[in-house]
Amino acid sequence: MPLSLRDFDYDLPETLIAQEPARPRDAARMLVVRPDAREDRGVLDLPDYLRPGDVMVVNDTRVIPARLRARRGEARIEVMLNRAEGDGTWHALIRNARRLREGDTLAIEGSEATALVVEKLEGGAARLDFGADPAALERALAEAGEMPLPPYIHRDAPRGEDREDYQTLFAARLGAVAAPTASLHFTPRLLDALAAKGVRRATVTLHVGAGTFLPVREENLDRHRLHAEWCELPPEAAATINEARREGGRILCCGTTALRLLETAAQGIKDRTAPIPPFQGLTDIFIRPGFRFRAADLLMTNFHLPKSTLLMLVSAFAGMEPMRAAYAHAIREGYRFFSYGDASLLFRAEDAA
């Protein structure tokens, strides 16, 4: 029987949705999930599960204050920037998109910037032109942009701490509208411990798009489509990963974004022994049970929303039943869920090899 959206539902007490990160960040708990066992540990225990020669893949995207409030005449419009398309043009998700027409000019509240509606797209999206001067949009984001916290993190008003809390230690390349949250747990002392263990690091980029917040509405999963996101596996990172694979090292993806990028780059290879080529471009890869993994051996990730594509991904990676049992255990034991919550370390299920 084919899988449906109902297969990825579960009940979560609202009290378990983390509203701020653990302090220090590496004080978060970590549930270790193997196909036939679980362990309650902490993020600082991560080096215990790795070996010299393993490679940790991290995403260096940096979150921009991508939520803007705008006006078209008297109509109020909320803009969530999604993906830069060059020359000042952005793909954006629009609240109240029905009020827009192509050719409209939006005035960005709190700044002098404007945006021209170039094209209305399906799913409440639009293509907006902010002009050829990138400094104008940068000023508007600095003056008026809000950090695009997920809707389950409740704030009476924007909080200054979130501008740092919602960035990872690796954040360098501007362009994401959501953080690669598994990496929010890393601190200098944890990186030092991993280096002392002989674990190497490969850095990739995937600019997380606003589509990550959108619910799955199709009961038939074959009909669901993800918004495309820009990503890059640079040659030096690919070389580090491939060297480790040749020498028997394992690949730990820190977050679902790193995993999706690696598996996108690896789609053209025939088996897990072939080298993974560098990659640059868009990905809309939708990983769900039945997917054949070619690149990743371990996955560090947070606990994901019911009926989400990310819960489907981890179920594909570690197995449907182990993940159902792991989430039930995490709820019983009071783990903190979602972006600012605790972590899990997943071992790839044998039947997903």
Side-chain angles (χ1 to χ4, degrees):
M1 185 175 177
L3 293 171
S4 71
L5 192 56
R6 291 187 299 273
D7 294 310
F8 302 95
D9 197 10
Y10 67 92
D11 293 323
L12 180 71
E14 190 171 351
T15 55
L16 295 185
I17 300 175
Q19 297 299 308
E20 59 182 40
R23 302 189 193 281
R25 294 188 183 201
D26 57 19
R29 299 168 72 187
M30 183 174 73
L31 180 60
V32 180
V33 182
R34 301 178 188 271
D36 56 354
R38 292 187 303 273
E39 295 179 82
D40 296 301
R41 301 293 295 270
V43 166
L44 282 173
D45 297 318
L46 178 61
D48 294 345
Y49 294 91
L50 300 176
R51 302 191 290 252
D54 289 347
V55 169
M56 179 175 73
V57 183
V58 302
N59 184 1
D60 70 352
T61 190
R62 186 170 183 84
V63 182
I64 61 173
R67 182 177 284 115
L68 297 168
R69 303 185 189 280
R71 285 187 178 274
R72 180 189 64 79
E74 295 301 313
R76 301 195 68 181
I77 308 293
E78 184 176 302
V79 175
M80 175 75 84
L81 299 182
N82 182 44
R83 186 178 68 244
E85 297 191 340
D87 298 325
T89 301
W90 282 75
H91 181 280
L93 301 185
I94 310 294
R95 181 173 292 181
N96 293 333
R98 66 185 183 280
R99 299 187 179 187
L100 294 186
R101 297 184 299 271
E102 293 177 5
D104 283 348
T105 297
L106 303 181
I108 307 302
E109 293 183 350
S111 77
E112 297 180 359
T114 60
L116 176 69
V117 180
V118 177
E119 182 181 7
K120 288 189 69 173
L121 304 169
E122 294 181 355
R127 187 167 287 110
L128 304 181
D129 185 356
F130 287 86
D133 180 11
L137 178 57
E138 290 177 12
R139 285 194 300 272
L141 293 176
E143 294 167 357
E146 298 174 16
M147 288 299 280
L149 294 179
Y152 48 76
I153 295 179
H154 304 299
R155 298 285 183 261
D156 293 331
R159 210 174 64 159
E161 296 96 317
D162 288 315
R163 290 217 171 203
E164 291 303 318
D165 285 347
Y166 203 53
Q167 301 284 11
T168 75
L169 188 64
F170 312 108
R173 301 180 70 179
L174 288 167
V177 301
T181 54
S183 291
L184 292 177
H185 300 295
F186 284 87
T187 61
R189 69 172 172 175
L190 179 54
L191 293 184
D192 288 345
L194 290 163
K197 191 69 181 278
V199 176
R200 291 182 288 171
R201 189 161 77 239
T203 300
V204 303
T205 305
L206 185 146
H207 290 320
V208 190
T212 193
F213 299 136
L214 297 178
V216 179
R217 301 192 185 280
E218 293 284 355
E219 189 66 33
N220 182 345
L221 301 182
D222 290 337
R223 296 177 182 170
H224 183 69
R225 295 292 180 268
L226 271 67
H227 284 266
E229 297 165 310
W230 186 91
C231 57
E232 181 179 18
L233 170 62
E236 58 272 21
T240 298
I241 291 165
N242 289 326
E243 181 182 359
R245 285 156 57 89
R246 286 194 305 270
E247 296 176 355
R250 298 170 302 171
I251 307 304
L252 164 66
C253 288
C254 293
T256 56
T257 59
L259 184 145
R260 291 180 65 243
L261 169 49
L262 280 198
E263 295 298 339
T264 296
Q267 284 299 285
I269 67 176
K270 294 182 178 180
D271 57 56
R272 292 180 58 85
T273 64
I276 300 170
F279 179 87
Q280 184 183 92
L282 296 177
T283 182
D284 61 358
I285 190 170
F286 179 14
I287 297 176
R288 56 195 190 275
F291 183 86
R292 179 171 175 263
F293 290 90
R294 295 170 171 84
D297 300 297
L298 301 102
L299 171 64
M300 183 178 177
T301 187
N302 286 20
F303 293 95
H304 301 294
L305 278 72
K307 296 184 178 180
S308 65
T309 59
L310 297 183
L311 183 55
M312 297 172 199
L313 183 154
V314 297
S315 298
F317 188 81
M320 290 280 293
E321 290 309 316
M323 291 313 300
R324 283 193 182 114
Y327 272 56
H329 174 86
I331 292 169
R332 286 195 305 271
E333 295 298 319
Y335 277 74
R336 301 165 71 246
F337 276 60
F338 307 161
S339 292
Y340 277 159
D342 293 318
S344 62
L345 178 65
L346 310 181
F347 285 71
R348 185 172 51 85
E350 292 299 321
D351 61 359

